[in-house]
Amino acid sequence: MKKGGKEGKGKGGGKQSGGAPREYLTCALKFLASEAFVAGIIGKGGAVISGMRTSCKAKLHFTEYGEVYPGTESRVLTAQTNDEELLNQLIEQMVAKLDEVAKDGSDAENSGVEGDLKIKVLVPRAAAGSIIGKGGVTIKLLRESSGAKISISDASSSGPAADQVVSVQGEEEAIKTVLAEVNKHIQALKDEGWFQVWATTPGTVSWAYSNLGGGGASSSRVYSHTPGIDLMLSVAQNLPPYVMEDSRGFALSCVVPDDLVGGLIGRGGSGTREIETLTGAKISIREISDDPGNRTLNIAGALPAACAAYMLMMKRYLDVEQQSAGSSW
């Protein structure tokens, strides 16, 4: 097997190329979206999502088709802005779109029906605790004041950044009221050292690959927690803020085979652009003057962003390597 990676280099040992890491937007919300809701948010020719991005000065990113949150058939939509109120404006637009989807009646299980909408959002465990309140007092008052049904799932793992699902059901205005309150509790934690990691990753998702057609059965693979994942979460959650928030950034690099670079980058650079958008890291691939068979993959950004981007690029590397090996037979 060719070289999949060498050692990571800290800031002092590597050069950041291509300028500073992309700006990190400080406020974030994560929604669960069925395919019907996804289609409604995107709109014809992408007009709806483009309008949301512009009017709310927001980054909106869906996980890919087939990448769904465990136990659901919903993708994760991550919304980021630099202002809590802009996220409230986005909530208004999202719920209005949800109401349109519900009126159609074809997605009642996920989106509800007219006058009784359903929506789910992911919140970090630390925010879920404050939403519930001591003895459940806060969530009880929110239920009473909004008239909405609200439930919160158990955490996906330990630590303040572990995802919990908040499910809300009720009239359009009730949904908006609850989500605005949830937003307030989440953004109150935006200065915590772990928040950027939570905000720039879609949470624990499962990859389902279906092969339908010709009467064939569908198959799926679900990737759950492993000791390695628990180790990474434990290390990240226990690092002091000055490490996670160091403004100088960090650089990671490895060597990849030249013949796999096209697959790593993706058509028109779409693969690396998606990872850059998701993580905020900067990715570049450069030739090695004395080694024409290999290139250097460089990733630069804040520590959480650089590490997340590196892991995602290694997934692409292994996928491309496997595809290349399969095509050689």
Side-chain angles (χ1 to χ4, degrees):
M1 185 179 79
K2 292 198 175 185
K3 291 177 268 185
K6 287 188 177 178
E7 73 281 2
K9 297 180 180 178
K11 173 67 179 177
K15 179 182 178 182
Q16 287 196 43
S17 59
R22 293 186 178 186
E23 179 188 11
Y24 163 64
L25 301 182
T26 56
C27 299
L29 277 176
K30 297 195 288 190
F31 300 83
L32 297 186
S34 65
E35 288 305 319
F37 194 21
V38 170
I41 293 169
I42 293 174
K44 188 175 182 179
V48 175
I49 195 169
S50 178
M52 289 180 176
R53 286 170 172 151
T54 300
S55 63
C56 299
K57 299 180 177 62
K59 286 184 179 179
L60 298 174
H61 175 80
F62 290 103
T63 53
E64 293 182 6
Y65 180 80
E67 293 185 10
V68 296
Y69 192 80
T72 76
E73 296 181 355
S74 298
R75 293 199 240 173
V76 179
L77 166 61
T78 302
Q80 292 178 269
T81 71
N82 270 327
D83 184 81
E84 180 182 330
E85 183 52 39
L86 288 174
L87 280 179
N88 283 333
Q89 293 175 27
L90 182 63
I91 287 170
E92 294 273 338
Q93 296 183 41
M94 294 273 287
V95 175
K97 185 54 62 178
L98 178 68
D99 185 53
E100 291 180 18
V101 174
K103 286 177 181 176
D104 177 74
S106 61
D107 191 43
E109 183 178 352
N110 297 301
S111 302
V113 296
E114 185 175 6
D116 190 25
L117 308 180
K118 297 178 182 178
I119 195 167
K120 295 180 179 181
V121 294
L122 299 178
V123 304
R125 184 180 179 186
S130 63
I131 293 168
I132 294 169
K134 188 175 182 178
V137 171
T138 305
I139 195 170
K140 180 181 178 182
L141 290 174
L142 185 56
R143 287 173 179 142
E144 292 174 351
S145 63
S146 66
K149 297 176 183 177
I150 310 168
S151 62
I152 302 179
S153 73
D154 292 334
S156 60
S157 63
S158 60
D163 278 319
Q164 291 186 245
V165 180
V166 176
S167 302
V168 189
Q169 181 174 349
E171 296 180 351
E172 182 176 349
E173 290 305 315
I175 299 284
K176 291 177 181 178
T177 298
V178 172
L179 292 188
E181 186 67 16
V182 168
N183 183 33
K184 181 179 75 174
H185 285 277
I186 293 175
Q187 307 323 316
L189 301 167
K190 67 181 182 181
D191 293 326
E192 297 293 329
W194 50 263
F195 189 85
Q196 184 178 351
V197 177
W198 177 85
T200 54
T201 56
T204 307
V205 296
S206 60
W207 276 257
Y209 300 92
S210 296
N211 299 311
L212 302 175
S218 64
S219 63
S220 64
R221 294 180 288 172
V222 177
Y223 300 84
S224 56
H225 274 213
T226 66
I229 292 175
D230 289 335
L231 173 62
M232 289 188 293
L233 287 171
S234 176
V235 170
Q237 290 165 359
N238 287 287
L239 283 174
Y242 70 84
V243 177
M244 303 295 277
E245 300 168 2
D246 192 306
S247 61
R248 295 172 298 173
F250 294 82
L252 299 168
S253 65
C254 66
V255 175
V256 295
D258 182 71
D259 57 359
L260 299 185
V261 168
L264 270 175
I265 295 173
R267 182 175 295 179
S270 60
T272 50
R273 276 202 306 273
E274 181 178 13
I275 292 174
E276 285 181 325
T277 300
L278 175 64
T279 64
K282 181 68 178 177
I283 302 171
S284 63
I285 296 180
R286 294 181 171 181
E287 295 181 353
I288 304 174
S289 59
D290 58 349
D291 188 0
N294 293 296
R295 295 197 191 187
T296 302
L297 167 64
N298 302 295
I299 300 173
L303 182 60
C307 291
Y310 187 87
M311 287 188 286
L312 291 170
M313 286 299 292
M314 288 303 98
K315 176 186 179 298
R316 288 191 67 86
Y317 171 82
L318 293 173
D319 289 346
V320 171
E321 183 182 53
Q322 185 177 32
Q323 292 167 9
S324 176
S327 64
S328 66
W329 290 91

